[in-house]
Amino acid sequence: MTDTGTTGRWAPSPTGDLHLGNLRTALLAWLFARSAGGRFLWRFEDLDGAVRPKFYDSQLRDLAALGLDWDGEPARQSDRLDLYRDAIGDLRRRGLTYECFCTRKEIAEAAAAPHGPSPEGAYPGTCRHLAHAELERRRTEGRPPALRLRSGTDGSVPAEETVIDRQLGAHSGIVDDFVLQRGDGTPAYNLAVVVDDAAQGVNQVVRGDDLLPSTPRQVHLARLLGLDAPSHAHVPLVLSPEGRRLAKRDGAVTFADRLSLGETPLDIVNLLLSSAGLDPVATLDGLAETAQRFDPATLPRQPWVYEPPAIQP
Ligand code: GLU
């Protein structure tokens, strides 16, 4: 049965080879979408300075080799700058933005100050109330400002938003005056992701739970822009035995590393399925049946702790 109502997506940054944690999240996002008979889109989040062109193709190749598929051509955020500029222009005209001249260091110092006004990690609102003359002076100093959202009623009291996560339940988090556009003019992740999900008709977001803290900001921004926020399901990351997020230095974690150990794509898929408490498949085509039986409620809520073998010389 095809449900034309669900559209999921996978939105990696082409900044490196996908590792087991990314591959696992991609597989789960695919299962969520396909189990609902829905569409599954690929979007490259390539506004980051660390993008390397070779990873567009290698990421597509690796996921295809695991038996995953997607609908239509992969989109690239770098092709969609006009959409983000329009959204920023809209907020700007409505007086919902302001220029911020703070350096990272200044923000860290203000946040660390004793009796600081802001909860941990929130922008303390330093530039929100710059007097006109001060603003003019900063503008001529030559450091191009970032653009921030004017979120709550007062910079020192960030707004709060509650999201209902499909896996984790209700999650409340702050909505501070987060960056919409960086000083170099690049749209920020939180802005681009909201604009794209809505423009692409995405209504189901499945991603790593490291992005849960950003979700209240994104839901808040969608509302300000008059857009429907998608549903969210955050899945636990893969951790090393020391409790760190799995990384390349931990051993054989990329698709190519695993092949060099003598594993097949089927072995890799079955490792990922077993990590999620799902039955192995006999062939990659069997994933279609896994999708039909997939029930998100059975997924583990705990991180997958995994010690990869050493990379073969
Ligand atoms: N581009 C983000 C990443 O690679 C994912 C963003 C998202 O899924 O919203 O971590």
Side-chain angles (χ1 to χ4, degrees):
M1 185 187 75
T2 298
D3 162 15
T4 48
T6 297
T7 300
R9 49 63 156 189
W10 165 240
S13 296
T15 53
D17 278 320
L18 301 173
H19 62 58
L20 287 176
N22 311 124
L23 298 171
R24 181 177 189 267
T25 303
L27 172 62
L28 293 177
W30 182 88
L31 286 170
F32 267 82
R34 295 303 195 210
S35 66
R39 284 155 47 78
F40 188 61
L41 308 182
W42 186 304
R43 179 173 77 234
F44 281 116
E45 304 215 320
D46 60 349
L47 299 179
D48 186 313
V51 166
R52 304 252 303 280
K54 66 174 180 178
F55 294 122
Y56 290 101
D57 280 346
S58 68
Q59 293 189 351
L60 290 164
R61 243 190 346 258
D62 290 357
L63 278 205
L66 290 181
L68 304 190
D69 61 355
W70 47 91
D71 296 296
E73 285 299 306
R76 292 185 181 197
Q77 288 189 324
S78 56
D79 290 335
R80 303 162 65 83
L81 294 173
D82 286 350
L83 278 180
Y84 316 131
R85 301 243 153 86
D86 286 352
I88 291 169
D90 173 25
L91 296 168
R92 219 173 177 155
R93 278 189 295 278
R94 290 158 60 198
L96 290 172
T97 67
Y98 64 89
E99 290 164 56
C100 172
F101 299 86
C102 294
T103 60
R104 274 176 206 271
K105 187 159 168 268
E106 284 164 348
I107 295 171
E109 280 167 5
H115 317 300
S118 307
E120 206 182 324
Y123 177 66
T126 318
C127 286
R128 188 184 244 247
H129 302 294
L130 287 185
H132 187 70
E134 177 66 4
L135 191 57
E136 287 300 316
R137 190 182 68 75
R138 298 282 189 104
R139 280 180 179 153
T140 57
E141 274 176 353
R143 216 181 103 78
L147 213 57
R148 286 187 181 273
L149 179 74
R150 198 179 282 279
S151 66
T153 49
D154 174 337
S156 65
V157 188
E160 209 185 66
E161 185 82 45
T162 299
V163 294
I164 309 296
D165 185 275
R166 244 176 108 169
Q167 297 303 105
L168 306 173
H171 169 79
S172 298
I174 50 156
V175 181
D176 62 345
D177 289 357
F178 60 90
V179 172
L180 301 169
Q181 180 178 285
R182 303 205 296 251
D184 65 3
T186 310
Y189 158 68
N190 278 319
L191 181 280
V193 76
V194 166
V195 170
D196 275 334
D197 282 338
Q200 295 183 290
V202 169
N203 54 14
Q204 180 195 68
V205 167
V206 178
R207 60 188 179 191
D209 64 8
D210 52 326
L211 289 167
L212 183 64
S214 300
T215 310
R217 294 180 175 94
Q218 295 170 9
V219 169
H220 181 82
L221 183 58
R223 180 163 338 101
L224 282 180
L225 289 169
L227 305 171
D228 289 331
S231 69
H232 291 93
H234 287 89
V235 296
L237 298 177
V238 183
L239 302 183
S240 71
E242 296 80 42
R244 276 185 290 105
R245 192 198 296 202
L246 195 72
K248 289 234 176 81
R249 63 176 176 278
D250 291 318
V253 293
T254 67
F255 186 75
D257 295 341
R258 306 303 293 200
L259 296 184
S260 77
L261 295 179
E263 291 183 358
T264 63
L266 183 63
D267 294 330
I268 301 170
V269 160
N270 281 335
L271 174 68
L272 300 175
L273 288 173
S274 89
S275 80
L278 300 169
D279 292 337
V281 286
T283 66
L284 293 178
D285 289 341
L287 281 175
E289 205 187 307
T290 304
Q292 272 176 14
R293 281 188 319 229
F294 179 69
D295 176 4
T298 67
L299 287 179
R301 304 287 152 100
Q302 300 304 320
W304 177 36
V305 178
Y306 179 70
E307 182 163 16
I311 295 182
Q312 296 296 296

